[in-house]
Amino acid sequence: MAHILVTGGLGYIGSHTVVELIQHKHSVIVVDNLSNSEQSVLQGIYDITGVLPAFEHIDICNKQELSNCFTKHSPIDAVIHFAAYKAVGESVQKPLEYYTNNVYGLLVLLDVMRAHNCNNLVFSSSCTVYGQPTELPVTEQAPLQKATSPYGNTKQICEDIIQDYITSNPLFKASLLRYFNPIGAHPSACIGELPKGIPNNLVPFITQTAAGIRKELQVFGNDYNTPDGSAIRDYIYVVDLAKAHVASLNRILNNNVNKACEICNLGTGTGVSVLEMIHAFEQATGVTVPYSIAPRRAGDIEQVWASTSYANKLLNWKADTPLIEIMRTAWNWEKKIRGIQ
Ligand code: NAD
Ligand code: UD1
């Protein structure tokens, strides 16, 4: 059993990962400032696992409080770092807040880790670092493209900071996990995504439209160079994604890594269009989603999906939950939080 500190552990991906960590017998300390989550998520984690993880209501940018937390829970064997702001559009409006929380937050974390001799890190990156790749599926070797938003730029900068820190500290090991599009909820419907306000992401918008909270879904563009004209992404089940974190963490903890910094795509390897996503939801649930075609969304890319062979082999892991099943979990979660029978 290792002691794992999870920043942002009450958020969407963090909470699912905390569940998997507990189920793999790790001891978890959750650090979260609740800027985009609720403390009640702890109850959901408890309902699934029968374990209530330690919780510290701390902002990772507060170096003193974070350091006190490391002292209190010493020794911390590794950190999984989810805490960040993640809304692309908002990052254009509030770049300073995004750079502060995402980049300065990482710097504070690394500094505190150094002070406490904690040398193992798993970091949440994003496929956004690839922009629109010229070759698909996109491999980890694809060149990174200039970020189109401050959010995307924070992920590139954070990847660079971690790699530079590794160069300076031969004991430090990290994995940079580049997520494609995480969707769905835990099959128990005890935890899931809790978007604030009008969702930007496709699946929460689909489920809220199906629940009658939104009148209709707008499909952003049907004139892309894709088989049905709508944009294509690689949608990965959040529980599969969470499991990859445990696999990646265990490699680091067992000193089993090939290099001090392992970079992995976490996706399914299959591209799915927006229209196919709507139809998959309808097929999974029997609920119709009213939609109309709207202009392309500014900043959107046309199509991307992952090459998964490296991650599959390295982590001995595969994201293989069928889309229909994932859609059912998303709908069950939406129904639960809206009180729909
Ligand atoms: P989320 O907003 O649900 O979770 C982030 C959590 O971090 C929240 O609980 C929030 O309260 C907390 N947090 C934010 N700033 C903090 C701070 N300064 N101190 C302490 N806690 C703080 O987001 P998520 O979808 O779970 O994403 C987790 C990570 O994965 C983020 O780094 C995000 O950029 C990255 N990521 C997400 C996606 C996605 O589609 N959800 C895709 C690629 C990468
Ligand atoms: C966006 C971010 C990405 C981030 C990811 C997860 C951009 C450019 N990229 O990715 O950095 O990692 O979210 O948070 O914003 N769509 C509709 N109608 C809707 C909502 C979405 O048609 O109401 C379409 C989009 O145009 C896109 C697809 O659905 O083609 C997926 O959208 P979304 O869930 O927002 O994810 P990304 O745009 O891939």
Side-chain angles (χ1 to χ4, degrees), residues 224-261:
Y224 284 109
N225 185 21
T226 60
D228 67 19
S230 65
I232 291 178
R233 299 288 184 274
D234 184 336
Y235 296 93
I236 175 171
Y237 184 35
V238 67
V239 175
D240 289 335
L241 185 70
K243 289 183 171 148
H245 288 73
V246 180
S248 179
L249 176 79
N250 286 343
R251 284 178 64 78
I252 293 182
L253 290 175
N254 299 333
N255 221 348
N256 205 13
V257 288
N258 299 334
K259 341 180 234 201
C261 184

Side-chain angles (χ1 to χ4, degrees), residues 86-89 126-128 148-149 151-152 179-182 193 199-205 217-221 224 230-233 235 274 297-302 304:
K86 65 165 179 177
V88 175
S126 167
C127 69
T128 189
T148 53
S149 72
Y151 166 75
Y179 313 155
F180 284 67
N181 290 53
E193 193 169 5
N200 295 309
N201 295 122
L202 179 62
V203 171
F205 210 106
L217 170 78
Q218 291 187 315
V219 173
F220 296 139
Y224 284 109
S230 65
I232 291 178
R233 299 288 184 274
Y235 296 93
V274 175
R297 183 171 68 178
D300 270 357
I301 59 163
E302 181 171 275
V304 68

